[in-house]
Amino acid sequence: MRFEEGNIFFNRIYIIQSLKAQDHKTGNDLLNDIILRRINKNESAEIKDIEDSSELFDHLGYIEKNVNNGFIPFIHFETHGYSEGIELANGDCISWKELVPQLLKINKKIKNNLFISLAACKGGNVQFAVKITEPSPFRGFIGPMEDVKGTDLLNSYQEFFDCLLREYDFEKAINILNLLG
C-alpha cells in the first residue's frame, strides 16, 4: 500500500480475535468478506484466535518479530472491551496499561507508523493510557468510546476497510466510519 509522505503505511493486517465460544466470529467475517477481497498482491492479512493473555502477548511478540521480515503491521482487535481495557475469550482482562507497552515495542520498530483499530466496546479508551511525556504506542487508532453491538461494529469496520483498501485514504475511511457511528 502506498501513501503520500507523512501518511501511515502498512502491508500486513493482523486481526486479533478473542471472543467467547457463543459469540459470532466477526473477525472472520471482516477478513473473508472485505479484507481478502480488497488487498493487493503486495499486502497480506491474517487472523489469530486468542484464548488468553499468554497467547495475546505471544502473538504481539510474533507481530513484532515479523517487522524484521518486512511486514509493517496494521493491528485490528476483535474482542470485548471495558473502560480500562479488553476482555479475552477466557475472561482474562487486559488493561490498557498492560497492552500499551507491547504496542510501543512494535511502534518503535516501525518508526511511529503503527495504526490500530479496536472493535471492542469502549476501545477508544486506549487513548487514556497514552502519556504525552512518553513515546506513543501507536501513530493512530480508532475505536468506540461507548458500548456497541457486535453487528454494528462489524458493519462499520467492513465499510472502513472497504474504503481504506480501495482508496488508500485513512481520512476518507475514518469519515465513513464516523458517518455510520
Side-chain angles (χ1 to χ4, degrees):
M1 185 174 288
R2 269 211 169 122
F3 294 100
E4 295 175 14
E5 187 175 326
N7 284 340
I8 298 164
F9 172 83
F10 63 91
N11 60 14
R12 177 167 275 187
I13 298 170
Y14 294 91
I15 298 174
I16 296 175
Q17 179 171 256
S18 190
L19 299 169
K20 310 262 186 239
Q22 70 273 16
D23 291 335
H24 182 78
K25 302 305 185 249
T26 50
N28 291 3
D29 289 349
L30 184 61
L31 178 70
N32 295 321
D33 295 347
I34 301 296
I35 294 173
L36 291 178
R37 289 187 314 113
R38 291 283 184 219
I39 58 175
N40 68 43
K41 63 180 176 157
N42 298 316
E43 300 161 347
S44 60
E46 64 180 62
I47 190 168
K48 175 73 173 171
D49 283 301
I50 302 290
E51 184 65 27
D52 57 35
S53 60
S54 176
E55 284 183 35
L56 173 65
F57 293 122
D58 286 349
H59 192 61
L60 290 170
Y62 160 80
I63 293 170
E64 179 189 355
K65 286 179 184 147
N66 268 336
V67 170
N68 297 333
N69 298 324
F71 294 114
I72 309 299
F74 177 122
I75 303 174
H76 178 76
F77 291 87
E78 285 279 340
T79 67
H80 289 282
Y82 62 105
S83 295
E84 302 300 318
I86 58 173
E87 182 183 344
L88 303 180
N90 75 337
D92 285 353
C93 291
I94 308 300
S95 72
W96 302 127
K97 290 178 183 179
E98 293 172 287
L99 188 59
V100 160
Q102 304 305 312
L103 297 173
L104 178 60
K105 288 179 188 178
I106 297 166
N107 197 34
K108 281 183 174 181
K109 272 194 157 179
I110 59 174
K111 299 178 176 36
N112 193 35
N113 194 53
L114 180 62
F115 194 90
I116 66 169
S117 55
L118 299 116
C121 291
K122 298 184 172 112
N125 285 300
V126 69
Q127 68 185 307
F128 301 119
V130 178
K131 302 207 182 321
I132 197 163
T133 56
E134 297 175 4
S136 180
F138 40 75
R139 180 147 176 206
F141 74 96
I142 51 175
M145 295 300 295
E146 65 282 331
D147 290 336
V148 186
K149 288 196 279 186
T151 53
D152 292 341
L153 281 171
L154 176 60
N155 293 335
S156 295
Y157 278 107
Q158 283 178 326
E159 294 298 323
F160 169 80
F161 277 106
D162 187 55
C163 177
L164 181 64
L165 295 172
R166 257 187 309 105
E167 304 202 23
Y168 304 114
D169 186 330
F170 265 95
E171 187 174 340
K172 190 171 188 178
I174 289 169
N175 286 336
I176 286 173
L177 187 67
N178 285 330
L179 287 173
L180 295 170

